[in-house]
Amino acid sequence: MSAKYASWVSLMAWIVALGSLAFAVYLGVRSRLTVQVALSQKAVAQVKAERDVRDVEGVNLPKFVASLHKVAVRRKTLLRTSFPQRPPTEVKTYVVEQGDSLFGIAQEFKIKPETLLWANYDLLNDNPDLLTVGMELKIPPVDGVYYQWQAGDTVESVAARFEAKVQDVLSWSGNPFDLTNPTLEPGTWIMVPGGHREFRQWVIPVIPRGRAGVSKSVYGAGACEGGYDGAYGSGFFIWPSGNHYLSGNDYWSGHLGIDLAAGEGAPIYAADSGVVVFSGWATGGYGYTIMIDHGNGYQTLYAHLSGINATCGRSMGQGQVIGYAGSTGNSTGPHLHFEVRYQGGFVNPWYVLPAP
């Protein structure tokens, strides 16, 4: 066989091989296309069958086009629904517990102590020292005056009485007003948002030395009869109890003293030198009480004592034990109610006591 003939045979073999490969590729592609077309026809047939079932059952659902894509974008499922926050409108009831104070209860419910005092006038008569364990207090939802509608009242007269705005009273969602005829049945309770009124103060009057005395029938058995003279104060005060922090009420317009933490029987000290002008039981919820006149315009008062160590007319030196802490009178737990007065007016004790 010549070399020329061998080359020709080899070329033909390569041509046959390439043709076989091309034919095999063609068969594979055709087979794949046939399978895809079959799947597509099957999916469309399934969708059509489901649509026919819905049409038979009378369900009117929107038509859709099926997708053969394996990956789809889906909306994330939210398991929590958010609701808008609305201001509270319900008046709650709270039962006073051991150790409670009007100031502390007001802080717990995020209202002013004045609001709590005004809402419970029938129980407290504007005196936070009348708070007792087991008492049921009305807790208004917002600051202002909780008021019971009286015969003859109008929105304008009630708003003017408590120095509030008529629109605030009408628009508060908790009030049951019909805006076309804003009148209410007597006895209906409403909220006067932002309203306020004056306090009726229940306090032991200032009893300076040299006075002829006060009536025991009015101020209690502790009122000292007759005038006295004796020790004078320095004008500088020390803490009357071992603890230098509050146990309840702070000083504010409805509570003209501070309640200092003191356990039952803890010693109570004279904050400055002076003469005892009240020693014994006091009306108005104070319980066993001592008042000292310091002879320089100042008087100090110590209330809710469990025991007394200073009698009428006795001179007491600064730091001397005058009595013992307790919970007598209207009190929800042992503490010392401490007041400071100057020239007959009340002074915030924090202004004259040394830094704790």
Side-chain angles (χ1 to χ4, degrees), residues 43-44 47 64-69:
V44 171
V47 171
F64 62 91
V65 178
S67 174
L68 298 179
H69 296 292

Side-chain angles (χ1 to χ4, degrees), residues 303-328:
H304 301 308
L305 303 176
S306 62
I308 289 177
N309 195 38
T311 55
C312 284
R314 182 177 175 182
S315 289
M316 305 299 295
Q318 186 181 60
Q320 190 170 351
V321 175
I322 60 174
Y324 303 93
S327 188
T328 57

Side-chain angles (χ1 to χ4, degrees), residues 214-221 223 225 283:
V214 296
S215 173
K216 291 189 175 184
S217 64
V218 177
Y219 302 116
E225 298 177 328
T283 58

Side-chain angles (χ1 to χ4, degrees), residues 235-241 243-246 250 257-260 269-272 298 300 302 318 336 338-340 347-356:
F236 297 94
F237 295 88
I238 65 170
W239 286 88
S241 63
N243 294 324
H244 302 169
Y245 54 88
L246 293 176
D250 201 347
I258 59 175
D259 290 344
L260 293 172
Y269 312 102
D272 199 1
Y298 280 105
T300 52
Y302 315 76
Q318 186 181 60
L336 172 66
F338 179 63
E339 295 178 7
V340 178
V347 176
N348 189 334
W350 296 113
Y351 294 159
V352 298
L353 290 173

Side-chain angles (χ1 to χ4, degrees), residues 142-164:
V142 295
D143 282 317
V145 178
Y146 188 50
Y147 175 72
Q148 191 173 30
W149 197 266
Q150 305 296 316
D153 278 342
T154 64
V155 179
E156 291 77 13
S157 66
V158 171
R161 178 177 178 180
F162 299 114
E163 300 182 355

